[in-house]
Amino acid sequence: MVVGVTGYGVYIPKYRIDRSIIGKAWSGRGRGQNAVAGADEDVITMAAEAALNAVTHADIDSTSDLKTLYFGTGSALDFEHSSLGVIGEVLRAGDEIDYAEFTASPRASFAALKACLDAAASGRITNGLVIGAEQRATAAGSPEEMNCGDGAAAIMLGANNVIAEIDAIYSHATNFVDRWRDADSDFVKEYEPRFTRDYGYKQHIIAAAGGLFEKLQSGIDDFDHVVLQQPNASMVNGVAKALNANQDQLAHGGLINEVGDLGAASALMGLAGVLDQAKPGERILVLSYGSGASDAIALSVTDAIIAKRNKVKPVSSYLKNSRPVEDYVAFAKIKGALEKQDTPTQIGIPPASSALWRDGREIRQLAAIKCKSCGYVNYPATIRKICVRCGGTEFDQTTLARTGKVHTYCVSLYVPPPLVGPQALIIGDLDDGNRYRALGTEIHSSDDVEIDMKVELVMRKIVTQDGVPVYGNVFRPVRIN
Amino acid sequence: MGWNRVALVGAGMIPFGELFEKSWEVMLEESYLECLNSVDKGIDPKEIQAAWIGTARPELHGQGAQGGVSLVGQLGLAGIPCTRVENGCPTGSDALRNAAFGVASGVYDVALVAGYEKMRDAPTSGLLGIAMQGHPLLTLGETAMTMFAPKANRYMHEYGLTKEQMAKVAVKNRKNGVLDPYAQFRSEITVEDVLKSPTVCEPLNILDCCPQTDGAACLIICRADLADKFTDKPVYIAGMGCGTDYYYQHEVESYTSYEATVKSAKEAYSMAGITPDQLDLAEVHDCFSITEIIDYEDLGFCDRGEASQLIEKGITEQDGELPVNVSGGLLCKGHPLGATGVAQCAELYWHLRQEAGERQVDIKHGYGLQHNVGGRSISNSVVIILSNHVT
């Protein structure tokens, strides 16, 4: 079966830190920016939004047709438990699905991609979703703090309506240690940056590219676009020069100075940037790298990409809709390095409890029931066996819309800890006529919100209790129309 | 309506405030003793046959399991039936309502109604978590402020209410409180003070909000036909109502009114057989300045969208056509949850008996109205109408 890319989606958080602000905090310098996830975001929430965008772009029914969700990240949250099911809930995926995490490398998403390709090529699945996401904790004053950014990218693989065919893959791996994060450490460590650059990144990528060129009997000039794993600008420039890649080839996949090192999302994000622009017939070379391994992948763009382009939320829109982090203190707060000392209010659900499982699932699915007598949509489904409007007891299953507008709101400076003010609370009228109440996000004062403003429900980590994140819906001003 | 009429024959209260030196026991005892002493012809505590005691958030001072006997035993009344009432902000008024049912049914001749709240044994932050109830994800982040402030924004959007007009409610009530020895604040403020006070929850500033208060109040009620044993000037319960709205904010339909108030007011007016223009005064729920604005419309004092005119024209001032919150209201007198409704009725009791001193209003028709609204999603309300004559 010929399997290729049938859709893709990205997510870049709204906030940007100027590297000069980080540099100034530690008597250094910095150029460019990094994307910074909000305090209520993590790899799961970012991955969920990228995944939702990919499902929309691929135009598949995830309830029946999505059977694989493979996830690559170096920012794994938990060693015993995977939160990927949360993403499945947001996608309203059916239960006949494979969730798997690939980790221990910034190229983990490419290991995931290869495994997913094999599953699709074997005919076992028809559609598989591969997601790369990263949100590294970085040590204060470290090179990683200066270079790392947050984001997620997702690629749908399948056989129908392919927008880019995968022509060949060549992988090169050796036992090589450049950066590491052991289980007891929060932060990535590095032996020596130039050793990483020259013997890790450069040598492995050149070897993988060479192997692919030999396999395809081609060279760098046969590709219209070249996408590289992007750990920092100087490493990217060095390899581009060694490959003889020109600026036109690199034009659409290079994001290092706008979002930073996205780790397992880096090359997938670059590929998405290229696919946003690519024309039918063009050829793309993607080169991943991480921990002594590199994958070289050759793709050919098909005619189908044109018809689907109006369903894409492009990388450029996510880059454009940004908000600066004003100073290093705000940066430390948003990264969670500086937390308000307070006694958190315990929410009424212990982590890993039956209540969290029962109530959380339908919240993330936005599952509701419609009264057969009066038509009122009761929400959430499991807490309503009797219609609150008419007392009816017979219902049809339904789901709520994700977009709507503000009916009313408030912005409170005082909220139960661990929430921190200013916190917006929104009563929204959804596009399907139903009403929803949720916390607001990306709203910093009443200047950022008004009645009738368009908002969308997105999943965020609304609280963490005993180290377990609780994911729920929040209202966000519509980021990309 | 076939119910035995009920009379109020005693009322007692302690000055509200930050009473760090008084325990809940002492507050309850002092207000009870005040109440006993207020009975014109005297009362023997042994004549009290049953008690209803309201306290809404005893967990704030580590007393989460407050039950009936532990409360009435504190007053030397152990042995008589006692029910603890909790019904959100209408806790105190609902204690009176339920006690009145006990007397109106003919089962009890004389009953005690008490309400107290010990809120200052907890720091301010202790209040922040108590609004989270029900489904944990659907109410996350809610506080009293976040349930009232969205109504302010919507009301301002629909009817053009200004923050200045809202501020005038607080200014009026603070002015009234100067004359009330029971009020937590005894000083006037200006519109500018309110507008320049720190923001708490946009669009509400701190002076748009009631304080956190300790307090207690008591009433003695009896069968109307036995009232002359205790006083020659009884006050009567003319009507009572209790209304509810939906539990969650996404289920609530109107963000410019409190439907629970509309329902409780309708029931109370109907029971009393009067219309709002027959009221001589009202003690309404003004936990926030916006609440009093919306109350005016929910209680039928004016049409929808007209409330700001009542404030602008001074109609609800102490010397206006319909004085509202002559006691200072919750904004000035304070809002010790369980005590509030009982204290509002005590205020009406004094005015209807023409003994409210400097703050006495003109009594023409002989009716006064008490009102609370609160609870999850501000979805429960009690309204009680008192009269100086049997209805």
Side-chain angles (χ1 to χ4, degrees):
Chain A
M1 195 178 297
V2 183
V3 175
V5 177
T6 60
Y8 63 95
V10 301
Y11 178 76
I12 300 171
K14 184 164 183 123
Y15 303 102
R16 302 286 182 278
I17 181 79
D18 269 331
R19 291 182 194 137
S20 62
I21 291 176
I22 300 171
K24 201 175 159 194
W26 303 111
S27 304
R29 289 184 302 176
R31 273 191 306 190
Q33 296 185 321
N34 297 327
V36 186
D40 58 357
E41 298 185 272
D42 64 16
V43 285
I44 294 296
T45 67
M46 293 190 292
E49 187 152 351
L52 205 51
N53 288 340
V55 167
T56 305
H57 184 221
D59 199 16
I60 67 158
D61 181 352
S62 50
T63 309
S64 55
D65 296 342
L66 185 64
K67 302 289 165 61
T68 295
L69 197 157
Y70 287 170
F71 185 58
T73 187
S75 314
L77 299 169
D78 194 309
F79 296 108
E80 179 77 13
H81 159 76
S82 162
S83 290
L84 296 180
V86 168
I87 301 173
E89 288 171 345
V90 173
L91 301 177
R92 295 175 185 143
D95 292 341
E96 190 196 347
I97 187 166
D98 229 358
Y99 294 114
E101 279 186 39
F102 295 72
T103 187
S105 172
R107 70 166 274 284
S109 52
F110 282 79
L113 186 143
K114 286 163 70 182
C116 192
L117 268 178
D118 292 345
S122 74
R124 187 170 67 80
I125 61 168
T126 47
N127 294 287
L129 186 61
V130 177
I131 315 171
E134 209 74 87
Q135 183 197 27
R136 293 185 180 100
T138 54
S142 67
E144 288 74 30
E145 183 186 42
M146 181 65 89
N147 286 321
C148 289
D150 306 328
I155 301 275
M156 187 74 78
L157 300 174
N160 301 321
N161 218 355
V162 168
I163 60 167
E165 290 166 357
I166 294 172
D167 302 326
I169 300 182
Y170 185 90
S171 297
H172 175 83
T174 70
N175 178 30
F176 185 85
V177 183
D178 46 11
R179 290 173 176 165
W180 70 97
R181 175 166 74 88
D182 55 271
D184 294 330
S185 177
D186 290 336
F187 307 123
V188 175
K189 297 166 192 165
E190 183 172 30
Y191 165 63
E192 154 60 41
R194 285 210 293 279
F195 178 60
T196 303
R197 182 188 71 188
D198 296 338
Y199 289 81
Y201 182 73
K202 190 172 176 181
Q203 283 196 9
H204 288 80
I205 287 184
I206 297 295
L212 184 83
F213 292 155
E214 200 177 311
K215 200 169 172 181
L216 287 172
Q217 293 297 304
S218 65
I220 191 79
D221 296 337
D222 295 316
F223 292 92
D224 301 283
H225 305 280
V226 176
V227 175
L228 288 164
Q229 180 85 22
Q230 298 168 66
N232 69 43
S234 80
M235 286 165 82
V236 170
N237 292 339
V239 163
K241 202 171 166 190
L243 282 169
N244 272 325
N246 63 45
Q247 285 310 306
D248 287 345
Q249 287 171 307
L250 296 164
H252 302 302
L255 301 164
I256 182 66
N257 282 329
E258 287 160 290
V259 296
D261 175 6
L262 299 184
S266 174
L268 288 182
M269 186 71 76
L271 175 59
V274 167
L275 290 172
D276 284 345
Q277 306 291 334
K279 299 180 185 71
E282 289 187 335
R283 299 184 72 199
I284 305 167
L285 173 65
V286 182
L287 296 161
S288 76
Y289 174 75
S291 305
S294 174
D295 311 283
I297 303 178
L299 300 99
S300 297
V301 179
T302 74
D303 294 340
I305 199 166
I306 300 297
K308 278 191 179 176
R309 194 155 269 163
N310 64 350
K311 289 187 173 158
V312 174
K313 287 183 179 173
V315 173
S316 59
S317 296
Y318 277 103
L319 292 178
K320 200 165 63 188
N321 287 280
S322 65
R323 179 183 176 113
V325 176
E326 60 265 36
D327 55 26
Y328 192 79
V329 171
F331 178 63
K333 279 162 114 174
I334 203 169
K335 290 285 280 182
L338 187 59
E339 281 183 27
K340 192 176 182 189
Q341 297 299 300
D342 220 330
T343 309
T345 305
Q346 298 285 303
I347 62 170
I349 41 174
S353 69
S354 52
L356 190 54
W357 166 75
R358 186 178 63 231
D359 298 336
R361 179 181 171 91
E362 63 183 359
I363 291 261
R364 292 182 288 268
Q365 290 176 332
L366 287 165
I369 47 174
K370 184 172 186 171
C371 177
K372 283 187 177 179
S373 305
C374 74
Y376 179 72
V377 174
N378 289 256
Y379 173 83
T382 59
I383 65 163
R384 291 282 177 255
K385 299 296 168 206
I386 301 168
C387 176
V388 297
R389 288 287 191 268
C390 78
T393 54
E394 288 188 36
F395 301 93
D396 292 317
Q397 297 294 320
T398 185
T399 52
L400 301 186
R402 287 203 171 269
T403 53
K405 56 182 189 170
V406 174
H407 182 77
T408 189
Y409 66 93
C410 66
V411 182
S412 186
L413 274 67
Y414 302 92
V415 278
L419 299 177
V420 182
Q423 173 68 58
L425 286 95
I426 310 279
I427 315 282
D429 288 331
L430 304 178
D431 291 338
D432 56 14
N434 298 309
R435 185 166 282 173
Y436 200 87
R437 184 224 78 120
L439 299 177
T441 192
E442 298 178 10
I443 295 169
H444 300 263
S445 75
S446 55
D447 294 340
D448 297 331
V449 56
E450 61 184 1
I451 286 172
D452 291 338
M453 184 177 82
K454 283 186 180 174
V455 284
E456 54 195 340
L457 283 169
V458 294
M459 187 188 71
R460 290 291 171 95
K461 180 182 65 183
I462 51 179
V463 70
T464 300
Q465 191 160 308
D466 295 343
V468 177
V470 177
Y471 298 101
N473 300 311
V474 302
F475 273 119
R476 177 177 75 189
V478 167
R479 181 91 70 81
I480 295 161
N481 276 306
Chain B
M1 211 175 286
W3 57 292
N4 298 321
R5 292 301 189 264
V6 179
L8 280 64
V9 296
M13 200 190 305
I14 60 167
F16 289 179
E18 285 192 336
L19 308 180
F20 290 116
E21 76 286 5
K22 288 186 199 230
S23 65
W24 68 270
E25 292 96 331
V26 167
M27 297 195 305
L28 191 57
E29 288 162 0
E30 287 183 358
S31 67
Y32 171 67
L33 293 173
E34 286 284 325
C35 184
L36 289 182
N37 290 335
S38 77
V39 178
D40 295 336
K41 299 181 184 176
I43 184 169
D44 180 347
K46 290 193 178 65
E47 293 180 83
I48 299 170
Q49 295 168 334
W52 278 262
I53 301 184
T55 181
R57 293 285 178 267
E59 60 269 29
L60 276 178
H61 59 101
Q63 307 279 330
Q66 287 288 47
V69 72
S70 58
L71 297 167
V72 81
Q74 198 61 39
L75 303 175
L77 294 174
I80 68 168
C82 178
T83 302
R84 178 196 154 197
V85 178
E86 190 287 306
N87 205 3
C89 289
T91 289
S93 44
D94 209 29
L96 171 58
R97 182 173 156 270
N98 280 281
F101 287 142
V103 173
S105 70
V107 173
Y108 301 111
D109 294 338
V110 181
L112 172 72
V113 179
Y116 77 88
E117 210 69 49
K118 185 69 201 161
M119 303 185 80
R120 291 309 274 145
D121 274 3
T124 308
S125 60
L127 267 181
L128 289 174
I130 65 171
M132 299 204 303
Q133 304 164 6
H135 191 292
L137 299 184
L138 290 180
T139 64
L140 190 77
E142 283 181 11
T143 64
M145 296 172 294
T146 68
M147 289 190 280
F148 283 93
K151 299 244 180 182
N153 273 325
R154 187 72 202 181
Y155 188 98
M156 290 163 89
H157 175 79
E158 285 196 22
Y159 296 120
L161 176 78
T162 64
K163 287 178 93 162
E164 287 77 6
Q165 288 169 329
M166 270 201 303
K168 285 179 182 173
V169 173
V171 170
K172 168 183 75 76
N173 292 353
R174 285 290 290 262
K175 184 182 168 195
N176 288 345
V178 172
L179 300 178
D180 184 355
Y182 296 101
Q184 179 164 359
F185 300 129
R186 306 293 304 278
S187 59
E188 289 195 49
I189 53 172
T190 65
V191 168
E192 198 184 5
D193 290 336
V194 180
L195 296 178
K196 285 190 172 169
S197 66
T199 301
V200 224
C201 181
E202 294 180 52
L204 302 174
N205 292 353
I206 189 123
L207 290 176
D208 287 301
C209 310
C210 67
Q212 203 176 331
T213 306
D214 299 321
C218 287
L219 299 167
I220 289 170
I221 65 172
C222 70
R223 274 169 48 184
D225 58 346
L226 301 178
D228 61 356
K229 183 174 180 232
F230 301 109
T231 178
D232 294 330
K233 285 199 295 181
V235 164
Y236 300 91
I237 292 178
M240 306 187 290
C242 177
T244 56
D245 196 8
Y246 298 103
Y247 192 82
Y248 290 109
Q249 285 196 305
H250 72 271
E251 295 169 343
V252 167
E253 284 181 273
S254 170
Y255 275 86
T256 53
S257 66
Y258 299 103
E259 289 307 301
T261 296
V262 174
K263 291 182 174 73
S264 59
K266 191 177 170 195
E267 187 184 9
Y269 285 130
S270 160
M271 195 168 171
I274 65 163
T275 49
D277 57 354
Q278 289 171 267
L279 297 172
D280 293 324
L281 78 162
E283 287 284 307
V284 309
H285 203 81
D286 59 329
C287 51
F288 300 95
S289 53
I290 181 62
T291 322
E292 182 167 323
I293 294 277
I294 294 177
D295 292 343
Y296 291 172
E297 299 173 14
D298 291 340
L299 294 167
F301 299 169
C302 62
D303 290 336
R304 289 285 165 206
E306 302 289 323
S308 59
Q309 292 313 301
L310 265 55
I311 280 291
E312 293 284 10
K313 291 175 182 164
I315 288 168
T316 53
E317 298 269 350
Q318 192 270 345
D319 56 356
E321 247 172 84
L322 174 54
V324 173
N325 289 333
V326 177
S327 67
L330 283 54
L331 282 169
C332 174
K333 193 169 80 179
H335 182 22
L337 311 170
T340 295
V342 182
Q344 288 170 312
C345 289
E347 180 75 6
L348 298 180
Y349 178 80
W350 293 322
H351 282 275
L352 291 170
R353 282 162 54 96
Q354 302 276 5
E355 56 188 18
E358 284 183 287
R359 61 187 193 285
Q360 178 68 46
V361 300
D362 281 347
I363 299 298
K364 289 169 283 197
H365 305 284
Y367 291 99
L369 176 143
Q370 174 279 340
H371 160 254
N372 295 123
V373 65
R376 159 121 319 278
S377 301
I378 321 303
S379 289
N380 69 339
S381 170
V382 165
V383 166
I384 294 175
I385 298 172
L386 301 182
S387 58
N388 63 1
H389 54 281
V390 182
T391 51

